[in-house]
Amino acid sequence: MTLRGENLIGAEARRGTEAAVRAVAAATGESLEPDFPGASLGDLDRACALAEAAFDTYRETDPETRAGFLEAIAANILETGDALVTRCMEETGLPRPRIEGERARTVGQLRLFADVVREGSSVAVRIDPALPDRKPLPRPDLRLRRIAVGPVAVFGASNFPLAFSVAGGDTASALAAGCPVVVKAHPAHPGTSELVGRAIQKAVASCGLPEGTFSLLFDAGQSIGQGLVADPRIAAVGFTGSRRGGTALMAIAAARPVPIPVYAEMSSINPVLLFPGALAARGAEIGQAFAASLTLGAGQFCTNPGLILALPGPGLDAFLEAAGAALRDSPAATMLTPGIQRAYREAVARMAGHAAVTRIAEGAEGRVTQGRASLFATDSDVFLADPALQEEMFGASGLVVRCADLAAMRAVLEHLEGQLTAALHLAPEDHAAARDLLPLLERRVGRILVNGFGTGVEVAHAMVHGGPYPATSDGRTTSVGSLAIDRFLRPVSYQDVPDALLPAALQAANPLDLPRRIDGVPERR
Ligand SMILES: NC(=O)C1=CN([C@@H]2O[C@H](COP(=O)(O)OP(=O)(O)OC[C@H]3O[C@@H](n4cnc5c(N)ncnc54)[C@H](O)[C@@H]3O)[C@@H](O)[C@H]2O)C=CC1
Ligand SMILES: O=C(O)CCC(=O)C(=O)O
């Protein structure tokens, strides 16, 4: 399919009139055709007006229609074929297997959400039938369902151009909830965005949905993104990116006459706790696995294991030797954008220049578009004294913090900001020490994992990809997995409303065949 560089506004495709986004080949820095002229404020207004007009129809689509729509998007993405894969590889510098895997994850995510829509439990129907004879007062008939919150603005991530972008988790969960979506395309992969946007636009048409169910806008600056969050017709925001970007959008959302929630997934250094028993038994093995996780995707994962906590000893020495050797052998890797490469280089230089930090290993040098792996080390009292040491280095670099004992490890964890993940490496004899730290870890992170690393998030019902601020703006929820749908729903209760006036979801005959709780008890079906 030929790229046209057009904004997709409802059923229309229109070239913008503002400064153009131009894709850059991540590996070479060459600019790629075509231009993607930015949307005007008029285009933004039209996309929001169409989304608002679509809302009441789209949110009341029956489960089968909405699930079929999500599946049609998945099928259309696959139909885009190799054109999508090659453009995405060019724009991001990510290798083919990664992009093909990410496409499979994106399509699988849409299909999972289709299953959840068909199954119906996110509507959360509760019925407390009237008790007219109850003394001293009768109880009214109460019926609850959850409805979609309204049109959602989505800002995709640069580092997951498919799974966290135009048809990624935020879009899929908002559409599954019944919310129209307006996407502000990430400027790092405009061609990928257009191809996926057209796949969604085509599915809107083939499923007979209102055209405003989906729009996609390009912008070389920030006025469209900011205007979108400020627009009174937008009811919630999904975002993955930098802390600076996420907090800027949170401030705009909070300052509106009607504030709205922003679900921003931002920075995280994902502590890895190496317990003594595990280190003694397999320090070198853990070191190799750590190096593989650290360098995955040039380290450009928000789940990247950036902080390692361990007690000194022969086990830690073996870990450092194996990790250091693997990292010294690791080739430099193309980074997503010149801006991300520069930010990474500067973050590594700051760490290398710290008087109380030593560099354990450095990967091979590469081209100007590439990032090289690094591993640093320091002691827990240095780490505790300098908050700058817990800033995310977005790339393949990590910091090992030597903790004199488990109390020092606890002190470091207490001092940490909110995180997406914590990984514990344990042998059976470490269980007591780990059990002591679990309540603290629960307060700091969204996902606790054992004998593994957090990179590679499973899209599943029991997944939490979230965590306390600043890992995300709202630690009560997740941006991956079926629970992500709940972000875009709110409960409405209907009291003594006649059956003929009730939405189908709450009618006595249960025409949508939804799971229900009657008087608090799940109904047998
Ligand atoms: N933790 C994570 O998951 C990720 C972190 N990052 C961090 O972010 C840095 C920059 O990467 P980007 O992907 O470009 O993230 P970014 O946060 O700069 O941009 C993400 C999206 O938000 C928009 N945006 C950012 N600031 C805005 C503002 N003030 N007003 C309106 N729109 C705004 C951008 O145009 C883009 O569409 C990286 O070097 C890295 O440090 C990037 C990707 C993922
Ligand atoms: O590790 C993953 O699979 C997802 C990571 C992620 O969400 C991110 O880097 O933004």
Side-chain angles (χ1 to χ4, degrees), residues 61-70 207 209:
T61 45
D62 61 80
E64 190 49 47
T65 303
R66 204 181 303 160
F69 171 49
L70 295 171
C207 295
L209 297 171

Side-chain angles (χ1 to χ4, degrees), residues 105 157 159-160 164 240 265 300-303 394 420 447 454-458 465 480:
R105 170 171 165 174
N159 61 335
F160 274 78
F164 286 79
T240 303
E265 188 230 291
Q300 302 164 119
F301 274 49
C302 53
T303 46
F394 192 68
L420 293 170
R447 177 163 56 114
T455 41
V457 177
E458 184 73 31
H465 189 53
V480 176

Side-chain angles (χ1 to χ4, degrees), residues 225-250:
Q226 293 176 358
L228 197 52
V229 176
D231 192 284
R233 292 158 294 197
I234 295 297
V237 179
F239 170 94
T240 303
S242 66
R243 192 190 303 195
R244 201 157 86 180
T247 51
L249 300 183
M250 285 163 67

Side-chain angles (χ1 to χ4, degrees), residues 3 63 74 81-82 102 105 122 127 140 145 154 158 181 204 233 238 281 292 328 338 357 373 394 434 456 517:
L3 288 173
D82 214 44
E102 200 182 318
R105 170 171 165 174
S122 46
I127 298 177
R145 70 162 175 161
V154 171
S158 52
V181 168
V204 171
R233 292 158 294 197
R328 273 186 287 274
V357 169
F394 192 68
R517 273 183 179 270

Side-chain angles (χ1 to χ4, degrees), residues 424-448:
L424 286 67
H425 288 264
L426 303 175
E429 64 267 33
D430 298 317
H431 284 194
R435 190 174 294 114
D436 271 358
L437 287 177
L438 280 174
L440 172 58
L441 290 172
E442 286 169 343
R443 293 176 57 161
R444 285 290 179 280
V445 315
R447 177 163 56 114
I448 296 166

